[in-house]
């Protein structure tokens, strides 16, 4: 079983739709959870950064973490064509000897005008 | 623009050759991470340096090595290249090692093609 599982999609939605992206994980030591957006042939761009369980909202984006279920989500409201990209979840533990990120494989999202 | 720079953008080389990828972290960031992204494996952590010292190793092959210099830029050296080494190589940097503000910011990547 991979440490982080993410449905690769592709996911295609009409403009204005609410998008839900999800990841599950198996490592209970993960404490920090991130969502990155990656446009084609570009580097990942940090969208949301959360610690432990709970919700975090930033504009049209909401990140949710449910540590009891080992499940994280990213919601995009009023989706726009410019949101079309690959969305990667990433997570890491509290530190110790290294601070590497473990990534999901990414979900390809297309928002159609 | 994340503030992390990587050179070159593209690199085309032959099997058996050696290449060096360069990364300059964001101003003030002490920690540098290298990742490899391929279609089948996704983004995989390779190695981490903090203020010149190696801190962690991930799925890095013995043919690969890295270092971080006193000015905090880092280089990733790939030798005896194989076709399977073709991938995007990303560098990321963060301000420190600890704390909730330790977000990693990624550079634009170097696309390596081994022919």
């Amino acid at each position: 079983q991979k440490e982080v599982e993410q449905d690769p999609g592709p996911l295609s939605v009409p403009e204005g739709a609410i998008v839900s992206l999800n990841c599950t994980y198996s490592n209970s030591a993960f404490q920090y959870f991130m969502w990155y957006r990656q446009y084609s042939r570009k580097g990942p761009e940090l969208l949301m950064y959360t610690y432990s369980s709970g919700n975090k909202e930033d504009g049209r984006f909401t990140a949710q973490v449910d540590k009891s279920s080992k499940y994280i989500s990213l919601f995009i409201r009023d989706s726009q064509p410019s949101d079309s990209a690959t969305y990667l979840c990433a997570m890491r533990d509290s530190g110790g000897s290294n601070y590497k990120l473990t990534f999901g494989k990414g979900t390809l999202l297309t928002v159609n005008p | 623009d994340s503030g992390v720079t990587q050179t070159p953008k593209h690199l085309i080389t032959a099997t058996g050759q050696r290449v060096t990828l360069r990364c300059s972290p964001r101003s003030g960031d002490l920690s540098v991470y290298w990742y490899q992204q391929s279609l089948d494996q996704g983004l995989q952590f390779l190695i981490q340096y903090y203020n010149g010292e190696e801190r962690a190793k991930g799925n890095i092959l013995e043919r690969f090595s890295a270092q971080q210099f006193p000015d905090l830029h880092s280089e990733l050296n790939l030798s005896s290249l194989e076709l399977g080494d073709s991938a995007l190589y990303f560098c990321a940097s963060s301000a420190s090692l600890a704390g909730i503000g330790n977000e990693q910011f990624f550079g634009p990547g170097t696309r390596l093609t081994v022919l």
Side-chain angles (χ1 to χ4, degrees):
Chain A
Q1 182 189 8
K2 279 191 165 290
E3 273 193 303
V4 179
E5 301 275 4
Q6 184 176 8
D7 186 341
L11 186 60
S12 182
V13 301
E15 183 175 353
I18 296 175
V19 176
S20 172
L21 304 165
N22 312 292
C23 288
T24 59
Y25 64 95
S26 58
N27 188 345
S28 57
F30 287 144
Q31 297 281 344
Y32 296 90
F33 304 90
M34 285 133 274
W35 286 94
Y36 284 84
R37 177 175 62 196
Q38 186 175 22
Y39 292 113
S40 181
R41 296 179 176 269
K42 301 289 186 185
E45 169 195 7
L46 182 65
L47 277 180
M48 301 288 283
Y49 187 107
T50 54
Y51 172 70
S52 195
S53 285
N55 295 357
K56 184 174 183 179
E57 190 172 318
D58 185 2
R60 296 184 295 111
F61 298 89
T62 300
Q64 287 185 353
V65 175
D66 182 349
K67 289 191 67 185
S68 62
S69 302
K70 295 190 179 67
Y71 188 87
I72 71 170
S73 302
L74 177 71
F75 297 95
I76 307 174
R77 290 182 299 281
D78 187 25
S79 56
Q80 302 295 309
S82 58
D83 295 328
S84 297
T86 297
Y87 289 79
L88 300 150
C89 63
M91 46 201 80
R92 67 171 178 87
D93 60 28
S94 58
S97 61
N98 78 78
Y99 294 81
K100 71 164 190 172
L101 294 178
T102 300
F103 282 86
K105 282 200 171 182
T107 300
L108 178 60
L109 170 68
T110 301
V111 180
N112 302 298
Chain B
D1 184 355
S2 67
V4 179
T5 61
Q6 289 187 249
T7 56
K9 284 186 178 180
H10 304 279
L11 204 47
I12 300 175
T13 188
T15 55
Q17 295 298 305
R18 173 190 168 94
V19 297
T20 297
L21 313 183
R22 183 189 167 102
C23 167
S24 292
R26 294 186 317 157
S27 177
D29 283 0
L30 298 178
S31 195
V32 168
Y33 311 77
W34 286 97
Y35 292 85
Q36 179 193 58
Q37 187 176 39
S38 61
L39 279 175
D40 55 341
Q41 295 294 322
L43 259 172
Q44 298 280 314
F45 169 74
L46 295 177
I47 197 165
Q48 175 198 3
Y49 278 83
Y50 177 76
N51 204 19
E53 291 188 8
E54 181 186 305
R55 289 303 299 257
K57 271 187 174 181
N59 302 320
I60 188 166
L61 299 171
E62 284 192 12
R63 300 182 285 108
F64 296 1
S65 64
Q67 54 185 328
Q68 186 180 27
F69 294 86
D71 66 354
L72 300 178
H73 91 271
S74 178
E75 293 181 356
L76 179 66
N77 301 297
L78 316 176
S79 61
S80 303
L81 285 167
E82 302 175 359
L83 296 178
D85 297 327
S86 296
L88 269 167
Y89 291 84
F90 288 104
C91 168
S93 73
S94 64
S96 64
L97 285 175
I100 194 169
N102 184 36
E103 301 94 326
Q104 292 183 26
F105 294 89
F106 281 74
T110 293
R111 181 173 295 276
L112 173 67
T113 302
V114 182
L115 301 175

